[in-house]
Amino acid sequence: QGGELGPDPVRLAGRQVVEALCARLLGDVLSSLRTHHDYTFAHSFRVATHLATFALATGMRRDDAELLAQAGLLHDIGKTAIPVGVLDKPGPLDSGEWHLVHRHPVVAADVLQRSAALPAHLIRIAERHHERLDGSGYPHGLTGAEIDEPSLLCAIADVHTALTDRRPYRDPLDEAAAFARMRPLAGPHLEPALFSRYEAVMLDSRPTTTPPSGPAAPP
């Protein structure tokens, strides 16, 4: 039977794509991230799920959805070089700690370049997901057209996921509050047309029913 795929099946399909990729990657570089910092692993899982959901909802091929999901899973692998005490610090970071944080995209690119047979775009996204349109991002201060669209999309998913993540020192924002916080960033930091499409997909793909009880899945 034809017809559009509704938001709940798309959301489930996005999660299934990520779970399948996660099972394949855990024996390789991703296992080091899970061992080092479980929150960053869980955050990466959620970024990947959001990217896969967006890809499927906007009509991308499943292969492309898997590539975006893989980028989401691996984008923060460079945080294995940041001490856990810095990653979990509830207060402001000092200059030395910021230096470590600002280097994690470069570390990620270096780690992924040493991994066998990873597509070049995964390395590029890991290195560029903190770049911003106005040049205020890091590590290279790229601007506008210097930043490729997959990296711009990963940047949006990364910010959205960070705002809706629960941390030991703060509660998560709900979806409406998170996107309200992000809208002023669309233009100076985040690509505005891509952000508008992403927001529409994510708000449409929120669960409409209570999920069944059972063992907790990765957040």
Side-chain angles (χ1 to χ4, degrees):
Q1 189 74 17
E4 293 186 2
L5 190 61
D8 285 349
V10 169
R11 188 173 183 275
L12 177 60
R15 188 179 180 92
Q16 288 172 339
V17 165
V18 175
E19 287 174 343
L21 283 173
C22 202
R24 297 208 302 264
L25 289 170
L26 268 176
D28 198 0
V29 293
L30 199 55
S31 60
S32 64
L33 181 62
R34 188 174 200 173
T35 300
H36 181 69
H37 196 233
D38 191 62
Y39 161 73
T40 302
F41 173 82
H43 167 81
S44 299
F45 186 98
R46 293 188 66 216
V47 170
T49 301
H50 289 149
L51 288 172
T53 299
F54 176 84
L56 294 171
T58 54
M60 293 187 194
R61 297 179 307 166
R62 188 179 178 90
D63 287 351
D64 292 331
E66 289 187 358
L67 287 171
L68 277 174
Q70 192 170 5
L73 285 170
L74 296 173
H75 78 286
D76 263 349
I77 194 69
K79 287 188 175 178
T80 54
I82 303 176
V84 172
V86 174
L87 292 173
D88 287 338
K89 186 175 180 179
L93 302 180
D94 63 32
S95 59
E97 291 164 341
W98 269 119
H99 176 73
L100 290 174
V101 170
H102 284 179
R103 275 194 49 77
H104 85 267
V106 175
V107 174
D110 183 60
V111 168
L112 296 178
Q113 282 170 350
R114 298 197 305 267
S115 302
L118 285 178
H121 84 278
L122 296 180
I123 301 168
R124 185 171 60 246
I125 292 170
E127 189 168 12
R128 295 183 178 183
H129 71 279
H130 281 292
E131 301 289 355
R132 299 295 181 256
L133 291 177
D134 62 2
S136 63
Y138 61 89
H140 303 302
L142 302 179
T143 61
E146 294 178 307
I147 313 169
D148 56 286
E149 186 170 293
S151 296
L152 291 168
L153 178 59
C154 188
I156 293 167
D158 187 42
V159 173
H160 167 230
T161 304
L163 290 173
T164 55
D165 282 343
R166 180 178 298 279
R167 300 306 311 274
Y169 46 83
R170 68 161 175 80
D171 291 331
L173 297 181
D174 63 28
E175 295 286 348
F179 284 115
R181 182 83 62 88
M182 292 174 71
R183 282 183 207 115
L185 304 178
H189 290 181
L190 307 175
E191 206 291 317
L194 204 53
F195 170 75
S196 294
R197 293 175 67 201
Y198 179 91
E199 179 183 13
V201 166
M202 290 302 117
L203 291 179
D204 192 45
S205 66
R206 287 176 296 180
T208 56
T209 58
T210 302
S213 59

